[in-house]
Amino acid sequence: MLRNYFVIGIRNLFNQKTYSLIKIVGLALGLATSMMIYLFIQEDLSYDTYHKNYNRIVRLLTIDNGEGVSSKHVGVTQPRLAPAAEEELPEVVESVRFIGGGPYDLSYNDNILKCQSAFRVDPSVFEVFDFDVVSGPKKGILDNPGSIAITESLAKRIFGTENPIGKTIKLNQTTDLNVTAILADPPKNSHIQFDLLHSLVPGKDEDGFRQALDTWQSIFTKSYLLLDRPADVTDLNAKLQAIAKKNNALDFFHPVVQPLSEVHLHSKEILFESNANKSDILNVYVLSTISILILVLAVVNFMNLVTAKSAGRAKEVGMRKVIGAVRRQLIGQHLIESIIVTFAAAVIAVGIVYAAVPLLNNTYQRFADVMVLFLPQNLLIILALILIVGILAGLYPAFVLSSFKPILVLKGSFKNSTSGIRLRKALVVLQFTISIALMVGTGIVYQQMNFIYSTDLGYSRDQIISIQQNGAATARASTFRTELMRNENILSAGTSSTRIGQQLGRTNVFPEGYTSETNIITSIMAADENFIPTMNMKMVAGRNFSLDYDDSLSMIINEEMAKLLKWQEPVGKKISIQSGPNPEDLTAYVVIGVVKDFHFATIRHKLEPMFMLYNQNNGALSIKVKAENMKETLAFVEETWKKVNPGTTFEYAFLDEQFANLYSNEQAFATMFTHFTLLALTIAGLGLFALSAFTAEQRKKEIGIRKVLGASNANIFYKLSFEFIALILVSFVFASTIAYFVMEKWLQDFQYSIKIGAGIFLLAGVASVLIALITISFQALKAAFNNPADALRSE
């Protein structure tokens, strides 16, 4: 019996080639999309899970409750907090602190290169995390000052085929670093990415650094704890806050913990952290929803086509009943046929995923592993999905057709009945509700991305070359700038302590007219007199830094700072900053100007109060150049760098490219959203094409009669199209409501975002109608131009 079911099922597939192809392709696309999204979600959920103590590691954060701070959560803590927690709390097995994370200039013999990501870290790092030691000792790797562990990739860049263990390299051509171990490159699903780990143990000439590591009065270390069991977050937070209070830490810095499992996806509000490829749990929810919707769309499409064609098999069912088939046998036959189609679609889907994922990884900047699909548990999930989808798609014809009496079926009553029409209409509405909602979502995502790239940030980023100067190069920044200005293609150049787009440091300030108990914390940067004009920033009051004045004790604040302090006329007022180890060591600065607000970080975060201090030699150089002769200008900049900073690496970037990189995750998400929306529209279009062909075939005689009675071709086209267009308009109402609330929630991720207008909904509605008309026009026009005699002669 089963063999007979399979034979008939396969025979039916070949007898109806067009419908079979559309069913299989549509379902395969839906299954493939769901599988791909599943792989991307698994990638996000896999972060840091390779550490054997993954569920017992927590990261220390600080809630910065200082007045003037809007982004409260920061990824740094008091440097003494982690060691104190290890000493005082029995549940803390080990602690480790990280400092830095930026580039190092390294040299070995004549080989000079830049290490992109280096940390100073406690020797206990290998007790807390499972960074794989490829070569060197397993213990005591970073016990001594100046000892370093480097990754295999960096070792090859520096030493080639030489054995690096025991070799000495120089940091900024001045400090000796001793290679004690080679580490495997951190896995891509690690939130901590590095090329080099440098011992945090202070050297003999680092007394100031040693004192800094013992302070409770500032926050600058990235710290982690290894616990003896999974964290009770509430209890541990209370204990850490008690330790901080006992050691007279600043009252407005509240330490809290974050489980390692939450670092990758639950850190969107956290600043001052090292979190490579940080994503957002909301993106996982959105992708999961898209995956489910597209799978539902494919299944609905499949069900619609099976339902539409089921009437054509009514006589077959009647004949089977006449010769003795019972209802359960008929149900089994239809379900098995449906499962055969689903299985074929699943095989094709796996092939699509296998071929597409490597390409999509490059497009989306991801590293999903297609082999995850072939893990035993995932193969079981795919098998279960085949059975569920197959059974769902076969339920209607299985139960409805098997319930009819043979005499009615053989007379043709079923074929000419309206059975199934309401179900098909409902399924079409569901299909296009999903498709239109995804279209609206795609439009809103792209509007937000366009807003990010085009909004006024308070500075110009066009034709700006950005160079990060480190070590001795920073001390020669002013000289380098002077040499650059000899070239007529360079319009201006200015330095700042931090490149625009990076989060500024923060400090406690004591404004004139406020008590010494104030808890005002604002962002701080240093700049020279050329920085503001180079970046085309605007002064709204007072003046810029100038060589005509002694600005060593001058300060420029932004508009937000003036609002925070409630100063109507800020120029001339004084703000004091702590300048020594003791709270009473304050230096007063005079406000000489107010700069128009500019976004010094990303627009994910609200603009905050900030101020600038004067310094001629800063690490970040911004060079405004003419658009013409760019190649020659860049060659001149590099040549000048080598002349002023011999023995250092030269790297540059364009500020607009660096700005785009800040939103690379959002851009990748927008691209992904678009691709999956196009897939959804393709699946819906395939279904609509097949359904319109079926409808035209079912109404062939009606069309023939209408034409004989004088109906025009346009009237026939209208009659066949209107039914589908009406359903799509109903879908539009549902889709618009759903999309509005979902995308409004997504936009809340940004402090500055677009307002959702009616235009995108109208555009999606018009687009969906046009897609439908184009899809069904072939069948409608074919039916309209057919000879009515052929239709009336058919029976």
Side-chain angles (χ1 to χ4, degrees):
M1 185 65 72
L2 285 176
R3 180 178 177 276
N4 179 259
Y5 292 165
F6 277 105
V7 170
I8 292 175
I10 292 171
R11 185 180 298 160
N12 280 325
L13 286 179
F14 285 99
N15 286 340
Q16 301 173 348
K17 293 183 179 64
T18 302
Y19 282 93
S20 298
L21 182 64
I22 290 174
K23 282 192 297 186
I24 292 174
V25 170
L27 190 55
L29 289 175
L31 289 170
T33 301
S34 296
M35 290 177 189
M36 286 186 282
I37 292 177
Y38 175 78
L39 291 177
F40 292 131
I41 291 173
Q42 285 301 306
E43 173 203 322
D44 274 328
L45 297 178
S46 73
Y47 265 74
D48 301 308
T49 54
Y50 67 94
H51 298 295
K52 65 178 182 290
N53 296 318
Y54 165 75
N55 64 340
R56 295 195 286 122
I57 299 173
V58 296
R59 177 169 72 158
L60 298 185
L61 306 174
T62 301
I63 299 176
D64 185 346
N65 285 320
E67 188 180 351
V69 174
S70 58
S71 297
K72 299 291 186 182
H73 281 77
V74 294
V76 289
T77 61
Q78 295 96 343
R80 269 296 297 161
L81 180 62
E86 182 183 347
E87 293 162 5
E88 299 185 32
L89 301 179
E91 62 265 42
V92 178
V93 177
E94 196 65 76
S95 67
V96 61
R97 297 168 294 179
F98 289 72
I99 294 177
Y104 271 23
D105 268 344
L106 303 175
S107 58
Y108 174 69
N109 296 335
D110 295 329
N111 189 13
I112 301 169
L113 53 83
K114 190 178 290 293
C115 159
Q116 293 299 331
S117 180
F119 290 97
R120 292 198 70 168
V121 60
D122 284 318
S124 56
V125 63
F126 300 106
E127 305 298 323
V128 177
F129 296 106
D130 294 308
F131 297 128
D132 187 21
V133 180
V134 175
S135 179
K138 300 298 181 183
K139 300 286 184 180
I141 294 173
L142 300 177
D143 285 354
N144 299 317
S147 59
I148 61 172
I150 61 176
T151 63
E152 289 180 292
S153 297
L154 183 60
K156 289 177 183 177
R157 289 174 59 205
I158 299 176
F159 300 102
T161 58
E162 288 185 56
N163 180 12
I165 304 298
K167 296 285 197 307
T168 298
I169 60 178
K170 285 191 178 293
L171 166 64
N172 297 328
Q173 295 191 315
T174 57
T175 305
D176 287 343
L177 301 175
N178 304 308
V179 180
T180 57
I182 307 301
L183 309 177
D185 291 358
K188 291 180 180 179
N189 61 344
S190 171
H191 85 279
I192 301 174
Q193 294 290 326
F194 61 85
D195 300 308
L196 181 152
L197 298 180
H198 177 189
S199 176
L200 194 63
V201 178
K204 60 183 179 181
D205 56 348
E206 293 186 304
D207 290 337
F209 182 59
R210 183 179 289 105
Q211 291 178 5
L213 290 177
D214 283 333
T215 185
W216 287 92
Q217 302 307 309
S218 61
I219 54 174
F220 62 87
T221 59
K222 304 169 182 76
S223 305
Y224 298 81
L225 303 177
L226 173 62
L227 308 177
D228 62 359
R229 57 186 178 275
D232 179 340
V233 172
T234 303
D235 179 62
L236 194 52
N237 285 347
K239 291 177 179 178
L240 290 171
Q241 289 164 16
I243 291 174
K245 184 175 182 180
K246 182 177 71 174
N247 287 280
N248 299 315
L250 296 175
D251 291 340
F252 44 84
F253 288 152
H254 291 270
V256 294
V257 299
Q258 180 187 41
L260 186 63
S261 60
E262 297 181 5
V263 170
H264 176 62
L265 292 172
H266 297 269
S267 301
K268 67 179 181 181
E269 297 293 335
I270 299 173
L271 300 177
F272 305 106
E273 60 168 354
S274 294
N275 195 347
N277 302 317
K278 179 166 67 172
S279 188
D280 184 1
I281 190 63
L282 182 60
N283 288 351
V284 172
Y285 294 150
V286 171
L287 286 178
S288 300
T289 303
I290 291 174
S291 174
I292 293 169
L293 290 178
I294 290 181
L295 185 58
V296 168
L297 189 66
V299 172
V300 164
N301 186 53
F302 187 19
M303 290 178 66
N304 222 345
L305 295 180
V306 171
T307 302
K309 294 299 289 183
S310 63
R313 299 183 60 187
K315 287 186 177 180
E316 174 197 334
V317 173
M319 288 299 297
R320 283 183 173 275
K321 281 200 167 189
V322 166
I323 61 177
V326 296
R327 189 177 186 193
R328 61 182 174 80
Q329 291 173 324
L330 295 172
I331 291 173
Q333 176 193 339
H334 283 89
L335 292 181
I336 286 176
E337 289 181 14
S338 182
I339 290 170
I340 290 172
V341 174
T342 307
F343 181 79
V347 172
I348 295 172
V350 170
I352 293 172
V353 172
Y354 191 83
V357 164
L359 299 175
L360 295 179
N361 277 339
N362 291 331
T363 303
Y364 305 150
Q365 302 171 18
R366 304 292 291 256
F367 51 88
D369 183 4
V370 71
M371 299 310 294
V372 169
L373 277 184
F374 301 101
L375 295 175
Q377 63 269 30
N378 289 332
L379 288 175
L380 288 174
I381 291 173
I382 293 173
L383 182 59
L385 193 61
I386 291 172
L387 292 174
I388 292 170
V389 172
I391 291 170
L392 282 175
L395 277 178
Y396 177 81
F399 283 93
V400 175
L401 280 178
S402 63
S403 67
F404 275 77
K405 296 178 181 180
I407 187 65
L408 295 176
V409 172
L410 294 176
K411 283 182 177 180
S413 301
F414 179 81
K415 184 175 180 180
N416 297 324
S417 74
T418 59
S419 179
I421 291 178
R422 288 182 181 176
L423 175 62
R424 290 199 297 276
K425 287 183 177 180
L427 294 179
V428 169
V429 169
L430 179 57
Q431 275 185 310
F432 274 87
T433 297
I434 293 171
S435 301
I436 295 170
L438 289 175
M439 274 197 287
V440 172
T442 300
I444 291 173
V445 168
Y446 268 95
Q447 282 184 335
Q448 176 63 18
M449 294 307 299
N450 183 63
F451 172 79
I452 288 173
Y453 291 132
S454 63
T455 191
D456 181 11
L457 300 173
Y459 64 89
S460 172
R461 56 182 183 272
D462 296 329
Q463 308 302 326
I464 298 286
I465 298 171
S466 176
I467 298 176
Q468 186 63 47
Q469 304 168 115
N470 300 309
T474 303
R476 295 190 287 266
S478 181
T479 302
F480 180 47
R481 181 200 166 277
T482 301
E483 292 296 317
L484 289 177
M485 293 308 298
R486 301 180 189 278
N487 190 307
E488 63 180 10
N489 289 319
I490 295 177
L491 302 175
S492 64
T495 66
S496 57
S497 55
T498 307
R499 175 177 59 80
I500 292 293
Q502 295 177 325
Q503 184 61 42
L504 304 182
R506 289 174 176 172
T507 189
N508 202 4
V509 298
F510 303 91
E512 176 183 318
Y514 287 75
T515 68
S516 60
E517 301 300 318
T518 182
N519 288 336
I520 298 178
I521 292 181
T522 64
S523 297
I524 174 176
M525 71 183 299
D528 66 12
E529 69 279 4
N530 302 293
F531 177 70
I532 287 178
T534 297
M535 300 306 299
N536 197 28
M537 296 174 180
K538 307 299 181 186
M539 298 296 298
V540 295
R543 64 173 177 87
N544 183 23
F545 297 125
S546 172
L547 294 177
D548 297 333
Y549 299 89
D550 177 9
D551 279 331
S552 58
L553 293 177
S554 298
M555 175 187 290
I556 294 174
I557 66 175
N558 69 348
E559 294 173 296
E560 282 294 318
M561 182 81 143
K563 291 177 187 175
L564 171 68
L565 301 179
K566 299 180 175 60
W567 285 349
Q568 298 297 322
E569 297 182 4
V571 176
K573 298 202 179 280
K574 293 184 178 181
I575 297 177
S576 297
I577 304 171
Q578 187 173 331
S579 54
N582 300 313
E584 59 271 13
D585 297 333
L586 300 176
T587 299
Y589 292 83
V590 178
V591 176
I592 61 168
V594 179
V595 66
K596 182 177 176 61
D597 284 335
F598 62 94
H599 290 270
F600 48 83
T602 70
I603 64 172
R604 298 186 195 96
H605 303 281
K606 188 177 180 181
L607 265 170
E608 293 186 352
M610 62 81 63
F611 64 90
M612 300 179 185
L613 300 181
Y614 181 67
N615 186 19
Q616 282 197 322
N617 293 311
N618 300 292
L621 175 65
S622 300
I623 308 168
K624 181 75 172 180
V625 299
K626 293 180 181 178
E628 304 82 19
N629 306 316
M630 184 62 71
K631 186 175 180 180
E632 293 81 356
T633 303
L634 289 171
F636 171 78
V637 172
E638 182 174 5
E639 180 184 343
T640 306
W641 173 274
K642 291 178 178 178
K643 182 174 71 174
V644 176
N645 300 302
T648 61
T649 57
F650 172 72
E651 289 186 356
Y652 74 91
F654 287 97
L655 188 60
D656 54 355
E657 294 176 353
Q658 291 177 321
F659 175 82
N661 287 336
L662 295 174
Y663 301 95
S664 59
N665 284 340
E666 284 84 355
Q667 186 59 59
F669 177 75
T671 304
M672 190 183 298
F673 205 126
T674 303
H675 288 169
F676 292 140
T677 298
L678 290 175
L679 273 173
L681 291 172
T682 301
I683 294 168
L686 284 172
L688 192 59
F689 177 83
L691 203 57
S692 62
F694 170 77
T695 301
E697 179 66 23
Q698 289 288 87
R699 299 176 67 179
K700 183 166 61 175
K701 188 169 295 246
E702 173 199 335
I703 293 168
I705 294 171
R706 286 182 179 275
K707 293 198 73 174
V708 168
L709 295 176
S712 66
N713 290 334
N715 184 260
I716 298 297
F717 177 80
Y718 170 78
K719 286 289 184 184
L720 288 174
S721 303
F722 179 76
E723 177 182 341
F724 291 105
I725 301 304
L727 295 177
I728 290 169
L729 292 177
V730 172
S731 301
F732 172 73
V733 175
F734 290 128
S736 299
T737 304
I738 294 168
Y740 177 83
F741 287 106
V742 172
M743 297 313 297
E744 184 74 17
K745 175 68 175 176
W746 181 77
L747 289 172
Q748 290 174 8
D749 236 14
F750 300 87
Q751 286 290 337
Y752 303 91
S753 63
I754 62 167
K755 298 294 183 185
I756 299 178
I760 189 64
F761 295 95
L762 295 176
L763 184 62
V766 171
S768 61
V769 170
L770 288 176
I771 290 170
L773 283 174
I774 292 169
T775 304
I776 64 180
S777 60
F778 174 77
Q779 300 295 344
L781 290 173
K782 181 181 174 183
F785 285 102
N786 273 347
N787 188 337
D790 295 334
L792 296 175
R793 192 187 301 126
S794 62
E795 294 185 10

